[in-house]
Amino acid sequence: MNKVCIYFIGCISLFCFSMNSSAEIKQELRTIDDMCKYFPATAQTWFDGGGSTQLIVDGEKGHNRSYIETPNRKVGFPLGSMNLKSGNTCDDGNGESGDCIADPALIVPQLSISTEFTGVDGAINEFSDVTIEPGHYTDINVTGGNPLDYAQVTLLPGTYWINRFNIGGYTEIHFSNIEKTVIHIEQLGTSGYILYNHNAEPDNLLIIGHGSSSNMLVAGANILKAHLYSENNIALNGNVSVYGAVTAKTLRLFSNSRIIGQSECINPSNDIQLVISPTSGKGLACDGIEIDFSLVDTNGDVIEGKGQELQVSSAPVVIGDRNSACWSDDGNITTSECNHVDDSRFETVFPSSGPAVVTRYIHSKFLNSYNVSATVSSENLTTTEGPYEFIAKAISIVPSEGVDGSDSHQVAGRPYPFRLKIRGKENGNGNMLNCHIIKETTDIDVTFSNSVLPATSNENIEIKKEGSSWTEANQNLSISFVNGVAGGDENQADGSLQARLNDAGKARLTASANIQGDTFTTSEQFYFRPFTAALCGQSSVLPSYTDELNGAYLASGSDFNAYLKAVNWIKELDSGTYGNGIPDHDNPSLVCSQTATPSYITYSEGNAKLNLSSQLDYPLSGDIGVITVDGQLIADFTKEVTSENQNSSTKINWNEVGTLSFDVFQNDYFNRSGFNIPSTASKVGRFYPAYFSITNTEWDYPQKQGTSEGSFVYMDQFFKNVDFQVTAYSALDSEVTNYGQFNNELKSRFSLVGEYASRLNITDVDLDETHWGDKAVWQVTNLDHAVIWSKKEGAPSFGNRTTVVDGPFNTSGHSSSETTSLGLKIGGVDPVTFIKDQQLVEAELLSQPDVRYGRMVLDNVGVASGQSVSVPLRVEYWDGQRFILSKEDDAAVFNGSSYCKHTIWPEPDKESAAKLMGTGGIKSGLNSIDLRAEPDNNQLREQIRFWLRLSEGSPQLSEKHTHCELKPSGLYLQPWLQFNWRGKGDEDPSTLVTFGVYRGNDRVIFRGESNIIGTSN
């Protein structure tokens, strides 16, 4: 045996059980009926101790009193097994108290379940809120919370096997109030202030200890809502309150402890009634009289079945009459099924889900009257109704063209044929189950009457004879019978007799006639439902424009009002003479233009409860999102239609975009299986985004300009990348993921706006609707190394492009920097805005680009004849007032082999052999050594202008006597560093190099030669 301990002492609790591995296997307790078997009263035992003490209740009558609250003060213990010390140990729940009364009839059988402490799901250790799923755990340890903020622990419904379960701190433990939780524990410890299941019902939590050595001590200030079962002892000590029931071998209560009986077994709901309907009836034995057995609440509404057992019996009204009745499921019965007294009763169960209704037909071989009794023992309910009288002859009303599987099921406003048959046995003798048509051919005056529920209906059943108009069924009509049948023959109706009710409800048609001196009366119950239901506007269909360019209906996330409308039969939608009561196709415009079926409302005989469901109609592969109806999720929504709210609107909200298709329906109207109100699908849309928001702006700069990753760009230089991102939202601020799947012509598009937007080569095509992804995000992905901020254009010089310095723009740390306000402008066929609930079609980008006017500068240099010389090089940018060194630039490069040259002197028309050479890059905007000028020869004195080529185009290329080498390519193409140096337009940077400034160490200076040093360009 495995020992298990459970104690609740002060702030520390522990359960103790012993597990018997050979215990008989039994299913978990899952239903109220099962629970009642082991917890019929507040306190009981499963053990007959043979006179030993098994219940002890200690404490004073007033202060520090321990007690058990249980109906009639009865507890399930053997006589002579109680030690009751206060004289006030039990309350009856109605204000009366006294000592507990032993009732051995409440002693229960012992529960046996095989143990499964496998621990395969491991351990859980948490210090805060946690949700735990059913499983097999070695340990569950949870602690946390404080007096003002209890830790929240949720155990999902199901079965738990826990070796050690420890809860500490200030903790609330929550369990389902709908489904059951069963916990098997070897050890349970608590330290702190713990509330167990305090918001749920005790019937939904069962804690079980197993084995003959188990003990349970609950002490301290605990509140526990559960049923406790132990195969040995349970003791309560201290300010302990157990709400539920306790079953143990022995039970002890000490020091202000109490057990309050709370259970459907102890206090069965008194708001449930067992109803037999109709309460009386008259008919032919061969047809049987249809009887419904229902469980209803105090409002008369049928409740949900839970599989309760139903026992039904019948007995002759006349005492001593031994002629018994019999029962069938569907009104069809044979003599062999009606021969024994046992046939007069039956047992069955209500559905375990769905309406708690059972339908049967009572029959008899005799012309007798019977009373019918029904019992549901688990609910402690019994009722009797009658009489139900069987007669020898009758006019039967036989309807045809019913819907939903029964001819008694009809549609409001739809005509249906019926026949009148004279049936029974001519002399009233013999087996009354063998009835037949009594063949009379004559005209008979038949008196019709009808009753309609709800009583507020202004409509009556109407009938129509062939060749006559419709008339209310409350008068006498001459009806032609041929061979005992009117309105057709024995096998089928011919339509010469028709009936209808232009309303929904439960109606009874009665016919009475005198035939050969005998008066025959018959009635037939009919149920009329609306033809269809749809989601509508107040008087017409809701807008539905899925892909029209002007099809905008409503912003996503905005509430809209709709009406759930059920209507009468529409012939245009139900082909055939009578149709089948179901629309052939969806025509919401026609349905929504109809008047609502007036008596489709809840009343005592039936519930009008419309359900609403929805599917995504457009885009097809989108997300249905979240739909709420009157604040509830659509899956949880039901509208109970009443006379007060029948024409009231329903508030709907959808957090997505596109078009929805709604279905409005009710299944099992009047709790009759399959009697369903079909839906006419209504498409509602197009829903569009409530607003858009710029959610990302990235200006990716060339590397090593400003930072290693880049933080500025020169005018005319390509950005590494430009990325704009816009997200579409609902009015609830959630992303509308369906928007990306709209047709392109329905999506929004953008353009770049702002004072300097024209300086960027970003076109509207670059920002059009094709950049929407498949969800809610529009993102530009095609601007990699494609965007430049152009230099400001000036008047051309000598036909060459000439730019004007301006800026810098958005450069931090520069007082002369100008801040731009570049933004996006949105447009589209649907309403568009950048701000919720307002109209704003332009929004500023999240960041602005750092842009500078830059140039490359070469210094003029001089050197002795025949010597090479380094040409200092730097990059500058305009700071708003002057050019300054671009100290943050480590990116610019040069290739001295790409150059042009022009001889200044001694012979301008001749090409010198001098050249530029050297490659490299700048550091902090400078390079003073890597670019070199090489002389023509060792003796020649000359002055040469060299251009360092940065572009394939530059004014010097067209100048006379200018000679160029090697076009620049790749990284050496840097046209953004050109400048209007000589007033001839933007050109490559140049240097004047003078060879022969001095002769060497003798320091002889050549005088009188202009520009010999070459200090100016």
Side-chain angles (χ1 to χ4, degrees):
M1 295 216 188
N2 299 320
K3 188 175 183 183
V4 185
C5 297
I6 301 183
Y7 297 106
F8 289 81
I9 305 176
C11 296
I12 299 178
S13 309
L14 178 68
F15 278 101
C16 293
F17 304 111
S18 181
M19 303 304 173
N20 186 341
S21 60
S22 62
E24 177 188 353
I25 297 176
K26 187 187 183 303
Q27 245 181 340
E28 298 290 0
L29 307 185
R30 306 307 296 172
T31 68
I32 290 295
D33 291 343
D34 274 340
M35 299 290 283
C36 294
K37 182 176 181 179
Y38 297 96
F39 299 96
T42 304
Q44 53 269 310
T45 185
W46 49 265
F47 177 68
D48 185 348
S52 63
T53 300
Q54 292 180 251
L55 175 63
I56 299 174
V57 183
D58 201 358
E60 303 171 8
K61 290 187 178 181
H63 175 70
N64 219 28
R65 173 190 173 219
S66 296
Y67 66 94
I68 299 171
E69 182 180 295
T70 185
N72 303 314
R73 293 188 282 121
K74 290 186 177 182
V75 292
F77 285 88
L79 298 173
S81 68
M82 302 188 301
N83 183 353
L84 310 176
K85 298 184 178 181
S86 71
N88 201 24
T89 52
C90 273
D91 282 353
D92 66 0
N94 295 313
E96 298 295 328
S97 61
D99 269 336
C100 300
I101 300 172
D103 184 353
L106 295 175
I107 297 174
V108 302
Q110 184 175 2
L111 173 67
S112 295
I113 298 176
S114 62
T115 60
E116 299 177 16
F117 291 104
T118 64
V120 295
D121 295 307
I124 294 176
N125 296 282
E126 284 290 340
F127 296 92
S128 58
D129 299 352
V130 63
T131 297
I132 302 173
E133 296 182 348
H136 300 69
Y137 299 95
T138 57
D139 296 88
I140 294 180
N141 302 299
V142 180
T143 186
N146 57 67
L148 299 179
D149 185 15
Y150 275 55
Q152 305 298 311
V153 178
T154 299
L155 270 69
L156 298 178
T159 301
Y160 294 78
W161 296 87
I162 308 169
N163 296 78
R164 292 166 293 277
F165 189 17
N166 298 296
I167 306 293
Y170 295 83
T171 305
E172 296 180 3
I173 309 177
H174 301 278
F175 299 87
S176 172
N177 202 24
I178 299 175
E179 300 179 71
K180 281 187 167 48
T181 303
V182 181
I183 302 178
H184 306 265
I185 306 173
E186 285 188 329
Q187 293 181 5
L188 178 133
T190 63
S191 58
Y193 299 85
I194 315 300
L195 301 175
Y196 294 85
N197 201 36
H198 66 293
N199 289 326
E201 295 298 325
D203 282 330
N204 289 317
L205 176 58
L206 173 62
I207 301 175
I208 304 176
H210 309 265
S212 59
S213 299
S214 59
N215 294 286
M216 185 183 298
L217 173 62
V218 184
N222 291 277
I223 295 178
L224 177 63
K225 286 189 174 183
H227 297 329
L228 306 179
Y229 183 99
S230 172
E231 292 196 351
N232 199 29
N233 306 319
I234 293 180
L236 311 182
N237 189 15
N239 189 23
V240 174
S241 297
V242 175
Y243 294 85
V246 175
T247 298
K249 182 178 182 181
T250 65
L251 174 61
R252 295 174 173 84
L253 282 76
F254 302 100
S255 187
N256 202 32
S257 59
R258 63 199 65 84
I259 306 173
I260 310 297
Q262 286 189 1
S263 171
E264 285 290 332
C265 307
I266 302 168
N267 313 108
S269 300
N270 57 10
D271 56 353
I272 298 177
Q273 299 174 9
L274 175 59
V275 174
I276 301 176
S277 176
T279 56
S280 62
K282 184 181 292 188
L284 294 174
C286 53
D287 293 336
I289 300 172
E290 182 181 1
I291 301 178
D292 288 339
F293 303 89
S294 307
L295 293 175
V296 302
D297 59 22
T298 53
N299 296 321
D301 296 336
V302 176
I303 66 169
E304 187 87 359
K306 295 182 178 179
Q308 301 97 325
E309 290 186 359
L310 171 68
Q311 298 88 32
V312 176
S313 62
S314 61
V317 172
V318 177
I319 297 176
D321 189 341
R322 300 179 62 183
N323 295 325
S324 60
C326 46
W327 296 88
S328 73
D329 293 339
D330 55 6
N332 295 308
I333 198 166
T334 63
T335 300
S336 62
E337 296 172 305
C338 200
N339 278 333
H340 196 275
V341 68
D342 289 341
D343 297 330
S344 67
R345 53 184 175 262
F346 69 89
E347 293 186 2
T348 187
V349 295
F350 287 101
S352 57
S353 62
V357 178
V358 170
T359 300
R360 292 291 188 272
Y361 293 78
I362 187 171
H363 305 263
S364 176
K365 294 189 295 184
F366 310 100
L367 295 180
N368 268 18
S369 296
Y370 299 90
N371 291 325
V372 173
S373 297
T375 299
V376 179
S377 58
S378 63
E379 305 290 350
N380 197 26
L381 298 173
T382 298
T383 190
T384 300
E385 299 291 357
Y388 300 93
E389 180 184 356
F390 294 105
I391 57 179
K393 301 176 185 178
I395 291 181
S396 297
I397 300 173
V398 183
S400 300
E401 300 294 338
V403 298
D404 305 331
S406 172
D407 285 331
S408 64
H409 294 166
Q410 298 293 339
V411 173
R414 169 182 170 268
Y416 59 93
F418 70 94
R419 288 170 290 166
L420 297 176
K421 294 183 178 181
I422 304 174
R423 300 173 66 240
K425 303 195 68 159
E426 290 90 338
N427 53 18
N429 296 323
N431 183 354
M432 301 310 297
L433 295 177
N434 299 323
C435 62
H436 55 266
I437 293 177
I438 300 173
K439 296 187 176 182
E440 296 279 345
T441 299
T442 184
D443 290 346
I444 299 176
D445 288 336
V446 179
T447 300
F448 290 96
S449 62
N450 73 99
S451 61
V452 177
L453 293 175
T456 54
S457 175
N458 294 320
E459 298 292 335
N460 285 286
I461 291 180
E462 296 177 324
I463 57 177
K464 180 178 179 291
K465 289 174 56 180
E466 187 174 28
S468 301
S469 58
W470 288 99
T471 183
E472 291 185 357
N474 55 9
Q475 55 192 293
N476 184 282
L477 295 175
S478 178
I479 304 295
S480 296
F481 285 81
V482 177
N483 293 324
V485 181
D489 58 27
E490 186 171 346
N491 298 314
Q492 63 182 12
D494 60 13
S496 59
L497 288 177
Q498 296 183 24
R500 72 182 182 188
L501 176 68
N502 294 319
D503 204 352
K506 183 178 179 181
R508 182 172 291 278
L509 179 62
T510 300
S512 179
N514 186 288
I515 303 174
Q516 297 177 350
D518 294 326
T519 298
F520 300 102
T521 299
T522 187
S523 64
E524 186 75 15
Q525 184 77 60
F526 294 97
Y527 300 87
F528 295 86
R529 63 160 171 82
F531 173 55
T532 186
L535 188 72
C536 303
Q538 189 165 12
S539 58
S540 62
V541 70
L542 287 164
S544 174
Y545 308 106
T546 298
D547 51 11
E548 292 89 338
L549 293 183
N550 61 346
Y553 167 54
L554 191 67
S556 168
S558 301
D559 293 335
F560 67 97
N561 291 322
Y563 295 79
L564 279 65
K565 180 181 284 190
V567 302
N568 284 8
W569 189 59
I570 303 172
K571 182 172 178 54
E572 296 91 323
L573 299 181
D574 201 5
S575 58
T577 304
Y578 304 103
N580 62 359
I582 299 173
D584 296 331
H585 58 278
D586 293 323
N587 190 334
S589 295
L590 182 56
V591 172
C592 290
S593 67
Q594 307 295 307
T595 301
T597 302
S599 295
Y600 178 64
I601 56 175
T602 289
Y603 65 104
S604 60
E605 294 288 328
N607 293 328
K609 292 184 177 180
L610 286 174
N611 298 293
L612 185 63
S613 66
S614 186
Q615 301 80 38
L616 185 66
D617 184 70
Y618 176 85
L620 292 178
S621 57
D623 189 349
I624 190 65
V626 177
I627 304 168
T628 59
V629 186
D630 285 343
Q632 304 177 61
L633 291 175
I634 190 171
D636 300 329
F637 171 78
T638 298
K639 179 178 181 178
E640 182 165 3
V641 184
T642 65
S643 56
E644 291 79 16
N645 72 4
Q646 185 179 36
N647 296 312
S648 64
S649 64
T650 296
K651 185 180 294 182
I652 302 178
N653 190 292
W654 186 34
N655 73 339
E656 263 297 346
V657 294
T659 297
L660 289 172
S661 177
F662 286 96
D663 286 304
V664 180
F665 60 94
Q666 178 176 356
N667 293 332
D668 300 334
Y669 187 37
F670 282 108
N671 297 305
R672 300 183 70 81
S673 178
F675 195 38
N676 304 332
I677 301 172
S679 173
T680 289
S682 301
K683 295 180 182 179
V684 183
R686 176 174 69 241
F687 294 85
Y688 54 85
Y691 69 98
F692 299 80
S693 180
I694 299 174
T695 47
N696 190 41
T697 303
E698 290 185 11
W699 304 95
D700 288 345
Y701 303 99
Q703 293 180 342
K704 298 183 181 180
Q705 287 182 191
T707 64
S708 60
E709 294 300 320
S711 60
F712 73 87
V713 70
Y714 295 112
M715 297 177 193
D716 280 356
Q717 184 183 20
F718 286 109
F719 286 88
K720 183 179 179 182
N721 189 30
V722 173
D723 186 6
F724 304 145
Q725 181 177 298
V726 176
T727 303
Y729 291 95
S730 73
L732 303 175
D733 303 321
S734 58
E735 294 184 9
V736 287
T737 59
N738 291 345
Y739 192 60
Q741 298 185 48
F742 275 25
N743 296 340
N744 279 342
E745 59 267 22
L746 303 180
K747 299 175 188 174
S748 59
R749 58 195 67 90
F750 302 89
S751 57
L752 189 68
V753 293
E755 182 181 356
Y756 294 97
S758 60
R759 299 279 290 274
L760 287 149
N761 62 334
I762 299 176
T763 67
D764 290 353
V765 174
D766 294 324
L767 308 179
D768 66 15
E769 64 278 2
T770 62
H771 297 289
W772 282 99
D774 61 358
K775 292 191 177 179
V777 177
W778 172 91
Q779 186 169 14
V780 177
T781 58
N782 60 332
L783 299 180
D784 186 16
H785 293 94
V787 177
I788 61 171
W789 179 303
S790 299
K791 292 179 179 179
K792 184 178 180 181
E793 298 292 333
S797 301
F798 299 96
N800 297 315
R801 181 192 184 213
T802 304
T803 60
V804 179
V805 297
D806 67 346
F809 297 101
N810 311 304
T811 301
S812 61
H814 287 268
S815 60
S816 299
S817 176
E818 184 175 349
T819 301
T820 60
S821 298
L822 296 172
L824 294 179
K825 182 177 182 179
I826 187 172
V829 297
D830 291 339
V832 290
T833 181
F834 275 117
I835 188 168
K836 184 167 59 175
D837 299 327
Q838 298 182 36
Q839 189 62 29
L840 182 69
V841 296
E842 293 186 7
E844 189 173 324
L845 295 169
L846 301 183
S847 64
Q848 301 292 314
D850 186 338
V851 183
R852 309 174 187 184
Y853 189 108
R855 69 181 188 182
M856 183 178 284
V857 183
L858 304 183
D859 283 349
N860 296 331
V861 294
V863 69
S865 298
Q867 295 185 16
S868 62
V869 62
S870 294
V871 180
L873 175 151
R874 65 184 181 275
V875 175
E876 299 175 336
Y877 71 89
W878 181 256
D879 75 346
Q881 298 177 345
R882 60 189 178 89
F883 279 102
I884 64 172
L885 181 65
S886 187
K887 295 181 179 180
E888 298 175 300
D889 190 349
D890 293 336
V893 294
F894 57 86
N895 181 3
S897 299
S898 293
Y899 67 91
C900 293
K901 62 184 177 181
H902 176 76
T903 302
I904 304 299
W905 57 263
E907 297 181 83
D909 57 346
K910 291 187 177 182
E911 180 182 357
S912 170
K915 59 183 178 182
L916 277 181
M917 60 186 304
T919 59
I922 62 172
K923 182 70 174 176
S924 299
L926 295 171
N927 190 312
S928 300
I929 59 174
D930 293 331
L931 182 63
R932 300 184 62 79
E934 296 289 337
D936 189 338
N937 59 53
N938 293 335
Q939 303 299 322
L940 182 63
R941 294 178 59 242
E942 59 182 349
Q943 188 177 63
I944 308 295
R945 179 180 293 277
F946 289 101
W947 286 270
L948 181 62
R949 298 187 68 180
L950 301 179
S951 173
E952 293 183 355
S954 186
Q956 80 273 7
L957 296 176
S958 61
E959 292 180 8
K960 191 176 181 181
H961 303 307
T962 297
H963 305 277
C964 298
E965 303 290 337
L966 190 63
K967 291 181 180 179
S969 62
L971 295 176
Y972 301 112
L973 281 169
Q974 301 166 99
W976 54 87
L977 296 179
Q978 291 180 324
F979 183 66
N980 183 19
W981 292 104
R982 300 179 297 153
K984 295 183 179 182
D986 290 8
E987 65 177 350
D988 298 326
S990 64
T991 176
L992 281 176
V993 180
T994 305
F995 297 100
V997 175
Y998 55 85
R999 296 192 305 175
N1001 293 333
D1002 58 4
R1003 303 294 184 184
V1004 175
I1005 304 298
F1006 298 91
R1007 298 179 61 190
E1009 297 185 26
S1010 63
N1011 287 330
I1012 195 71
I1013 302 301
T1015 58
S1016 172
N1017 275 348

